Amino acid sequence: MTYKVAVAGASGYAGGELLRLLLTHPDVQIGALTAGQNAGSKLGAHQPHLFPLADRELLETTADNLAGHDVVFLALPHGASGAVAAQLPDDVLVIDCGADFRLTDSEAWDRWYGGNYAGSWPYGLPELGDNRATLRTAKRIAVPGCYPTISTLTLAPAVQAGIVTPDVVVVAASGTSGAGKSLKANLLGSEVMGSVSAYGVGGTHRHTPEIIQNLGALTTDPVTVSFTPLLVPMSRGILATCSAPLHDGVSAQDVRAVYEKAYAAEDFVHVLPEGQWPTTASVLGSNNVAIQVTADADAGRLVAVGAVDNLTKGTAGGAIQSMNLALGLDEHIGLPTAGVAP
């Protein structure tokens, strides 16, 4: 069976990555491509690397233009997906790459995003808890944020196994594509090149409650997260360094055993050989996550480092992986397992 797929927000980074991956998916036909202010123009003007679709016209993002599809991906600004999704039939698989349906707590939404709370959908991170089973019957899916994807996967085995106190510190360096295509002075090449900067410091980044929500589902202990993102001079990728207090008597060997067991059956999550640390270059363009762990014996802390491509596994790849599960397909179809180098 071939599934007809629409992508709303096709001119942005997430939309472009969705289309790059969908072009290699044998079970889909790409239907309507929509946009906001770029409606009426050709896709090739915004995504020049997508040659097979370059002459396709971008339509307005309306329920009528998205009608008649089996799957609709929403790669829209935060707060824009709720109204669109409400107009789509219940039998259409709708996958939101924005934040609108990620948070289960309406008060958290009010604090971190504001505006109307649209509710929560099944969470598109198959490797977390029982999500894979839930996604197999879902018709609405919320794709995780890129920072929560890597932070959660880098910390989840330790939290779930109870070898740490979930008082977590995450420092994550991200490329500029994570901020989207909007023109911002701090994202100009002359501002970014040769410079690393912190932002969202002091517990102010919107992805913080999502990380807390994910880890909180794995333990009965209260979870705290101190999250500091860094903007680094590269286009894509995230390297997250995560730490938490280890319980007494837990060794580096114990930590490694927990992670190897947790991810033994996960084809996209790789616990690296001892002594090899993750790099963003190793996961570029792939749906992979690279993780390394150890114990800082003097500090009594777990140190776990993870790398992900924020546009692939961190957004579009995770969305297509979730789509595959919801459609009853092999979840690996259309998803690259090899990176791009050099």
Side-chain angles (χ1 to χ4, degrees), residues 154-155 158 163-164 242-246 255 259 293-296 300-304:
T154 304
L155 287 162
I163 63 172
V164 296
C242 309
S243 71
L246 277 170
V255 170
Y259 274 75
V293 292
T294 191
D296 183 336
R301 296 184 71 86
L302 163 81
V303 179

Side-chain angles (χ1 to χ4, degrees), residues 113-337:
Y113 290 93
N116 293 329
Y117 176 61
S120 64
W121 288 352
Y123 195 68
L125 189 60
E127 298 86 357
L128 178 65
D130 297 326
N131 285 356
R132 183 172 276 111
T134 302
L135 291 170
R136 287 194 173 104
T137 60
K139 281 296 186 180
R140 298 290 191 270
I141 296 172
V143 178
C146 53
Y147 281 128
T149 292
I150 189 59
S151 301
T152 300
L153 293 177
T154 304
L155 287 162
V159 173
Q160 188 163 26
I163 63 172
V164 296
T165 299
D167 179 11
V168 169
V169 175
V170 177
V171 179
S174 175
T176 56
S177 61
K181 275 191 175 182
S182 299
L183 296 178
K184 300 173 184 176
N186 68 307
L187 298 179
L188 295 172
S190 57
E191 300 292 333
V192 173
M193 289 186 295
S195 178
V196 176
S197 58
Y199 66 101
V201 180
T204 61
H205 194 280
R206 287 175 168 180
H207 283 171
T208 301
E210 195 177 337
I211 301 170
I212 293 172
Q213 175 178 287
N214 293 348
L215 298 179
L218 304 176
T219 179
T220 57
D221 294 333
V223 175
T224 59
V225 173
S226 176
F227 172 50
T228 304
L230 306 176
L231 182 67
V232 298
M234 60 185 185
S235 60
R236 54 200 289 169
I238 298 175
L239 187 75
T241 301
C242 309
S243 71
L246 277 170
H247 290 169
D248 291 344
V250 178
S251 67
Q253 290 73 26
D254 296 331
V255 170
R256 183 167 189 84
V258 164
Y259 274 75
E260 288 179 341
K261 180 180 179 181
Y263 291 131
E266 295 294 348
D267 292 334
F268 292 124
V269 183
H270 304 272
V271 180
L272 299 179
E274 290 190 64
Q276 181 181 345
W277 290 89
T279 65
T280 56
S282 70
V283 296
L284 182 65
S286 78
N287 204 55
N288 294 330
V289 175
I291 294 175
Q292 184 59 278
V293 292
T294 191
D296 183 336
D298 290 337
R301 296 184 71 86
L302 163 81
V303 179
V305 179
V308 73
D309 186 318
N310 59 294
L311 292 179
T312 313
K313 176 59 173 168
T315 307
I320 291 174
Q321 187 179 350
S322 298
M323 176 195 76
N324 287 338
L325 286 165
L327 294 177
L329 303 173
D330 182 327
E331 70 182 88
H332 306 87
I333 295 177
L335 295 171
T337 56

Side-chain angles (χ1 to χ4, degrees), residues 9-192:
S11 61
Y13 287 136
E17 187 73 351
L18 280 165
L19 292 171
R20 179 179 78 88
L21 299 175
L22 289 169
L23 280 167
T24 68
H25 199 298
D27 298 312
V28 305
Q29 172 192 352
I30 298 175
L33 308 180
T34 78
Q37 62 184 9
N38 293 320
S41 61
K42 296 293 181 68
L43 181 70
H46 311 283
Q47 310 285 11
H49 62 299
L50 299 177
F51 286 98
L53 300 171
D55 291 332
R56 295 281 297 274
E57 181 180 350
L58 294 171
L59 308 176
E60 292 185 22
T61 300
T62 66
D64 286 343
N65 286 332
L66 297 174
H69 294 83
D70 302 298
V71 183
V72 175
F73 289 98
L74 302 177
L76 304 174
H78 299 320
S81 296
V84 176
Q87 300 176 66
L88 298 176
D90 292 340
D91 61 346
V92 175
L93 175 58
V94 183
I95 302 175
D96 183 26
C97 294
D100 291 34
F101 300 96
R102 294 173 186 162
L103 297 180
T104 59
D105 184 345
S106 61
E107 292 184 2
W109 173 266
D110 290 340
R111 175 185 173 187
W112 295 92
Y113 290 93
N116 293 329
Y117 176 61
S120 64
W121 288 352
Y123 195 68
L125 189 60
E127 298 86 357
L128 178 65
D130 297 326
N131 285 356
R132 183 172 276 111
T134 302
L135 291 170
R136 287 194 173 104
T137 60
K139 281 296 186 180
R140 298 290 191 270
I141 296 172
V143 178
C146 53
Y147 281 128
T149 292
I150 189 59
S151 301
T152 300
L153 293 177
T154 304
L155 287 162
V159 173
Q160 188 163 26
I163 63 172
V164 296
T165 299
D167 179 11
V168 169
V169 175
V170 177
V171 179
S174 175
T176 56
S177 61
K181 275 191 175 182
S182 299
L183 296 178
K184 300 173 184 176
N186 68 307
L187 298 179
L188 295 172
S190 57
E191 300 292 333
V192 173

